[in-house]
Amino acid sequence: MYSYSDFDEAFVRSRVAQFSQQVSRRIDGSLTEDEFKPLRLMNGLYLQLHAYMLRVAIPYGTLSSRQMHQLAHIARTWDKGYGHFTTRQNIQYNWPVLGDVPAILSALADVEMHAIQTSGNCVRNVTSDHFAGAAADEIEDPRPYAELLRQWSTDHPEFQFLPRKFKIAITGSPNDRAVTKAHDIGLRMLRNAKGEIGFEVMVGGGLGRTPMIGQVVRDFLPVADLLPYTEAVLSVYNRLGRRDNKYKARIKITVHETGLEEIRRLVEERFAEIRPDFHGHDQVLLDDIRAAFAPPAFRNAPTDAHDQFYAADPVYRAWCDTNLTRHRNSEYAIVTISLKAQGKTPGDATADQMDLMADLAARLGHDELRISHEQNVILPHVHKSDLPALHAALSAAGLGTANVGLISDIIACPGMDYCALATARSIPVAQDIALRFDELKLEHEIGPLKLKISGCINACGHHHVGHIGILGLDRAGVENYQITLGGDGTETAVIGERAGPGFAYDEIVPAIERLVQAYLSLRTEETETFLQTYRRLGLPPFKAALYPAEGAQDAK
Amino acid sequence: MSRKFTPKVVTANDLLVGDVVYLTATNEWTRDHAKAELIEDEAHAQLRLLEGAGQKNIIVGAYLADARLGENGPEPVHFREVFRTRGPSNYAMGKQVGELPGPRS
Ligand code: SF4
């Protein structure tokens, strides 16, 4: 794993010191809120519905066990004993008091972490494939590039005041698990005809108010051009982006209004200008970073223990079938630990659970953990012979749920239980849907289904790219839930279609149930997934299931 | 004809702790919605908002929220404000259990 250089360390420590003084000056009254607010936001501190919230960056979702232990320690010492992992691969603490934040930031700095650039109109945490460095289908580990981008974009003087926030996602696999097409810049690694590695560069993707799928601005970018090209994109956006209207300020609107061809021309022009200034120091740095991401020393041992348990224990088998992914070393597996136990809050982990996951990673997982944008925790490198012991330990702590990729593995943003911007709640809707399908004992029969819920149009819950998306709105002072169908966040990304009028809070779970029952009766065979069935038949039969009384009754 | 004025309370978050607070008739901040001043007149509401928001070293983000008179005092009208009087629905935390932000004691 990458370790801070002296420069990183000094930078983060000096920010903690600065912010500590700023907090003191706010508390003693010498800074007004107008003065303080931009400073606290620069350090990840928001004010939410019931309390402050601190958003901590987890660069490309990668954590060591030491860092995970520290996150647990923070949750226990300065918060209410839990944390919320987000779709941005970050962690949010929901209850810090203002005076404790400097101590929290200092504790984060002790493990090379911080909350810088988790807010504001700058380049945010670069996100990546949560299976990076382990996946069997990967061309190359994308994290060294993500780390290079992180170093370059952190405190970059030109890009601290962009027209709006800027999100970059990167994947090293043809199977896109990082939703790269819904980011301001999406980078997908590929090989050209000569076998060289480079990136397909997409710009202008994004969800939110105006959801758009990113468009390819460069089909092959050599690795050595990554920084100058990214800088060129940002520089063009910085100049053209709409600062006059917050709702039109993201690069997706710039691309839409300017046209892809023109954007491409401008970016290439700017790229040609700045490329000569990159003399290769970035590539030397990249080599050092690569060394830090060298794969662990994989063990060579028999995997019989796993095979025997798999044959004998149906609970273990179900967990393996849903929660394991093929590792590039055939003796190993990638383990997804579900933070979606039915009825629990998606993405939440208690301090004790964090400690346990950290211990297990240290003992059985080459000391690595990942946070997925789907709000689960990954142990990327577990030898198969250790899986039965791992499963037993997880199950004992409420972390053994076998539901990854199923209907109860729901993405849900904090919604109106925490978020000041929310128009409705999302967490209890997720809890109720998961409990309902668990009660029906249907979720394994339903198979792969991505259900995603956002509590407002900002779409942090990625509802547009859910096979089933739910958007919570405020309709005349009542919570109302709109359904979108057929969304897809992978390499075949599509924005879902709105199914029709929304549903009241107590109507949304039955509506989802009708929808899923319709799918079960419409699919040609058990292996036809919800998304495949939807693509084959389109909206009409699902709409009929959602609105059975259509015509007779005007759905509200 | 202008629409009838919906009564209001002045609400904000506590600067130090972050907890939801309401302005009382005696210019103090209470954590209890029912103890807030129910403001029945538009001009007075604007004035009280200015006075509340002026307490810049005690609270953050003051605004007017719709309210109505209930049995024990002012009650929130909109569901967002109802949630703010309680805390999150996924855990027994916050006002609903009489608890402030920060570590559990
Ligand atoms: S989608 Fe809306 S409600 Fe949900 S976390 Fe984002 S801003 Fe808040």
Side-chain angles (χ1 to χ4, degrees), chain A residues 171-189:
Chain A
T171 172
S173 295
N175 298 306
D176 182 1
R177 289 174 289 262
V179 210
T180 59
K181 291 191 173 183
H183 284 76
D184 296 292
I185 292 181
L187 297 164
R188 203 150 69 97
M189 205 179 283

Side-chain angles (χ1 to χ4, degrees), chain A residues 166 180-181 183-188 190 199-205 213-222 226 229-234 236-237 251 254-255 258-269 271:
Chain A
F166 203 90
T180 59
K181 291 191 173 183
H183 284 76
D184 296 292
I185 292 181
L187 297 164
R188 203 150 69 97
L190 40 76
F199 297 102
E200 177 183 54
V201 184
M202 288 154 292
V203 291
I213 297 297
Q215 303 185 62
V216 178
V217 62
R218 178 73 104 85
D219 21 359
F220 186 84
L221 181 75
L226 179 62
Y229 193 85
T230 308
E231 183 162 322
V233 173
L234 273 155
V236 168
Y237 165 60
I251 195 176
T254 316
V255 173
T258 313
L260 183 64
E261 281 311 309
E262 180 62 5
I263 289 284
R264 182 178 290 138
R265 191 187 68 74
L266 290 167
V267 169
E268 293 294 343
E269 196 178 272
F271 173 67

Side-chain angles (χ1 to χ4, degrees), chain A residues 304-359:
Chain A
D304 309 358
H306 163 67
D307 301 333
Q308 283 158 14
F309 264 83
Y310 189 87
D313 179 353
V315 175
Y316 177 72
R317 187 157 60 236
W319 179 77
C320 290
D321 288 348
T322 47
N323 295 38
L324 300 186
T325 306
R326 202 155 70 86
H327 196 282
R328 63 174 194 232
N329 179 325
S330 63
E331 283 182 16
Y332 273 72
I334 303 171
V335 175
T336 300
I337 301 172
S338 171
L339 295 186
K340 314 292 178 67
Q342 293 87 354
K344 299 284 194 225
T345 303
D348 278 13
T350 64
D352 290 349
Q353 289 176 327
M354 289 184 222
D355 276 335
L356 176 76
M357 291 187 282
D359 281 339

